[in-house]
Amino acid sequence: MADPAMSVTPYWELTFDADGDPDAGRRDRLLAEVVDRGVRDLVVFSHGWNSDRSGATRLYSGFFEPFPQLAPTARLGYVGVVWPSMRFSDEPIPDFPRAVAAELPPRPVLDKDTRHALLETFPGRATVIDQLARLLDQQPREDAELEEFGRLVRILVEVVPPGPQVLFAADTLAEGVPQDEPEIFAGSTAAVCAEFAEAVSHLESPGGVQEFTIPNPWDGAHELLRQGTYYAMKRRAGTVGERGLGPVVGQLAAKAPGVRVHLVGHSFGARLVSFALRGLPEGVRTVKSVTLLQGAFSHYAFASRLPHDARAGGVLQGQQNRVDGPLVCCFSSHDSALGTLYPLASRMAGDARGVAAFDIGRTLGAKWGAMGHDGVQAVPDTPSVKLADALRRLPVKGCVNVDAAAVVSRGGPPSGAHSDICHRELAQLVLAAGRIH
């Protein structure tokens, strides 16, 4: 029988800490039971910004639910990866209960659920979080207070200097030097907050009243905090993938070489499963497919050379070759988290082009775009197909971009359809990528 909280069986949970160390008991249970349960194809799913196990479990249950009916004769097993991440409580998730919606204070005040998530995600930073919450509540007019807010965000997320952790923080590298360190904190916080406020205002009322009013810079400060946590979660996803999930998949290959593994990741979970490819032991060929759902990392991560810098390449260049099958990247134009806010946050603070947030699709997005907005870029021979066509036929190898906007379409600002992923068609896509029948 399935777990009461899970729609499918057999289901295992793999839990990792921020350093990528697994819960040994849960890992050993998977390794011991997967063969006894007769599993042939194991679907391993990693969440993105969910701060607790219950949110991740609901996501997995919803996504996995169609699988038994779609592949009734397949010997399927399911794994949910749980890692210490977080989601701001004002980000709507389609089909998820939001009983607290009416209780949320108006932005930029930090609601109690998000504050609790910050405390859990960044242990030992309670004083910093209290100071951030106080500033968002009081909204002082002085630019100096916005600068102090930026300083506190930097302390909270522990911006990583060059060193061993840099590979986990960077998506692109030039001659060993990271190209996407969070220099957004190096310039004027007030200016950054003003730009974020304009972007959020446009997302909430495109072409509306915001054209005639000056957005509240503290709305931008709230967004700066959200995007600041992005850097910490981005680094953490890479760490957990390479140091945690990759080695566990290797242990599974040694224990059960006949089990075919299919990695699926949403948002930063897509980055996590991609970095797991870097952590696979040499010679492991049991990963038969990878499906990235609205991946929140650079669309150049798999590129050997960047179009705007021939000396630089993606931190995951060539890793798609570790997959004995296709690496499928789903993207959607309805994902405003990745279409507008991601490139704005990823842009270097020293880049003084001053592009309006709503023009990002033609400018910033080209350089700082995310996988989940326009797919894998600068990898030769990567086709791009509509979801309906992908379900009829997928390449058997290499990267393939799938425009999933037909189903990944619902969600309000600021994230848009970023979390609208529990669809039967996307379950079908995972099965098609893995040649699971």
Side-chain angles (χ1 to χ4, degrees):
M1 295 204 34
D3 184 310
M6 184 53 55
S7 60
V8 291
T9 189
Y11 172 80
W12 295 272
E13 184 179 288
L14 279 177
T15 302
F16 298 93
D17 66 16
D19 296 319
D21 294 326
D23 178 310
R26 293 183 183 276
R27 177 202 59 198
D28 293 347
R29 180 186 170 207
L30 167 66
L31 296 177
E33 295 180 1
V34 69
V35 174
D36 291 342
R37 298 296 294 269
V39 171
R40 169 65 172 162
D41 289 280
L42 189 69
V43 184
V44 181
F45 195 161
S46 175
H47 66 79
W49 284 23
N50 288 292
S51 61
D52 58 16
R53 176 175 173 266
S54 64
T57 301
R58 289 199 305 273
L59 172 64
Y60 299 150
S61 186
F63 189 85
F64 287 147
E65 187 173 8
F67 278 68
Q69 185 179 33
L70 290 170
T73 61
R75 292 181 291 162
L76 282 164
Y78 309 86
V79 171
V81 174
V82 176
W83 59 287
S85 182
M86 71 164 291
R87 177 179 61 84
F88 273 57
S89 297
D90 65 346
E91 294 181 7
I93 295 182
D95 301 327
F96 271 49
R98 257 296 288 279
V100 298
E103 303 171 10
L104 289 177
R107 200 178 52 242
V109 174
L110 201 63
D111 65 274
K112 67 181 190 313
D113 288 337
T114 298
R115 186 168 175 170
H116 178 71
L118 285 168
L119 289 168
E120 284 195 338
T121 306
F122 300 101
R125 291 288 189 270
T127 300
V128 173
I129 293 167
D130 286 345
Q131 290 174 300
L132 289 167
R134 177 182 59 80
L135 287 169
L136 287 173
D137 184 45
Q138 295 177 352
Q139 303 178 48
R141 294 175 178 270
E142 300 82 4
D143 280 359
E145 298 292 351
L146 281 169
E147 299 302 327
E148 172 65 5
F149 187 88
R151 186 186 74 84
L152 292 168
V153 171
R154 187 182 180 91
I155 292 172
L156 178 70
V157 303
E158 295 182 299
V159 173
V160 177
Q165 285 287 314
V166 89
L167 285 178
F168 303 125
D171 282 344
T172 59
L173 297 171
E175 299 175 358
V177 179
Q179 296 297 294
D180 55 359
E181 282 295 282
E183 294 179 13
I184 193 167
F185 298 115
S188 164
T189 300
V192 169
C193 290
E195 195 163 2
F196 271 132
E198 183 179 2
V200 171
S201 178
H202 177 76
L203 288 173
E204 293 183 340
S205 179
V209 69
Q210 89 285 343
E211 294 183 2
F212 309 102
T213 60
I214 299 175
N216 179 3
W218 285 99
D219 285 352
H222 185 275
E223 191 59 39
L224 176 63
L225 175 58
R226 187 200 312 269
Q227 299 301 334
T229 66
Y230 146 83
Y231 288 109
M233 295 306 102
K234 173 183 178 180
R235 180 174 72 244
R236 189 173 291 180
T239 301
V240 174
E242 183 166 343
R243 292 184 175 177
L245 182 59
V248 170
V249 173
Q251 291 171 325
L252 178 64
K255 181 83 172 179
V259 174
R260 306 169 75 246
V261 176
H262 310 277
L263 301 179
V264 183
H266 170 239
S267 188
F268 278 135
R271 192 175 196 267
L272 190 155
V273 300
S274 296
F275 266 74
L277 299 174
R278 284 178 57 102
L280 288 177
E282 193 67 32
V284 170
R285 302 294 294 172
T286 56
V287 176
K288 302 301 180 180
S289 68
V290 174
T291 305
L292 310 179
L293 304 172
Q294 302 312 114
F297 63 117
S298 172
H299 55 195
Y300 294 132
F302 292 99
S304 57
R305 289 290 178 267
L306 306 188
H308 56 275
D309 186 352
R311 301 166 302 168
V315 72
L316 296 171
Q317 57 183 284
Q319 292 302 317
Q320 67 271 22
N321 298 323
R322 303 296 306 274
V323 184
D324 190 23
L327 185 146
V328 178
C329 179
C330 293
F331 65 94
S332 171
S333 58
H334 303 297
D335 187 335
S336 52
L338 300 184
T340 296
L341 296 175
Y342 175 93
L344 186 60
S346 297
R347 188 203 63 191
M348 299 295 188
D351 182 350
R353 287 175 291 177
V355 180
F358 41 82
D359 201 35
I360 282 174
R362 296 191 297 272
T363 50
L364 293 184
K367 185 174 182 180
W368 303 111
M371 290 273 178
H373 178 63
D374 58 2
V376 173
Q377 300 295 311
V379 174
D381 303 318
T382 297
S384 186
V385 299
K386 297 288 188 182
L387 177 59
D389 295 327
L391 292 178
R392 284 191 286 270
R393 183 175 182 181
L394 266 178
V396 298
K397 187 72 177 170
C399 297
V400 56
N401 294 325
V402 175
D403 183 349
V407 296
V408 181
S409 60
R410 297 177 301 142
S415 297
H418 183 61
S419 295
D420 185 22
I421 61 167
C422 288
H423 293 282
R424 182 183 180 89
E425 294 89 343
L426 296 183
Q428 286 179 281
L429 186 65
V430 172
L431 293 168
R435 304 302 196 264
I436 303 171
H437 306 290

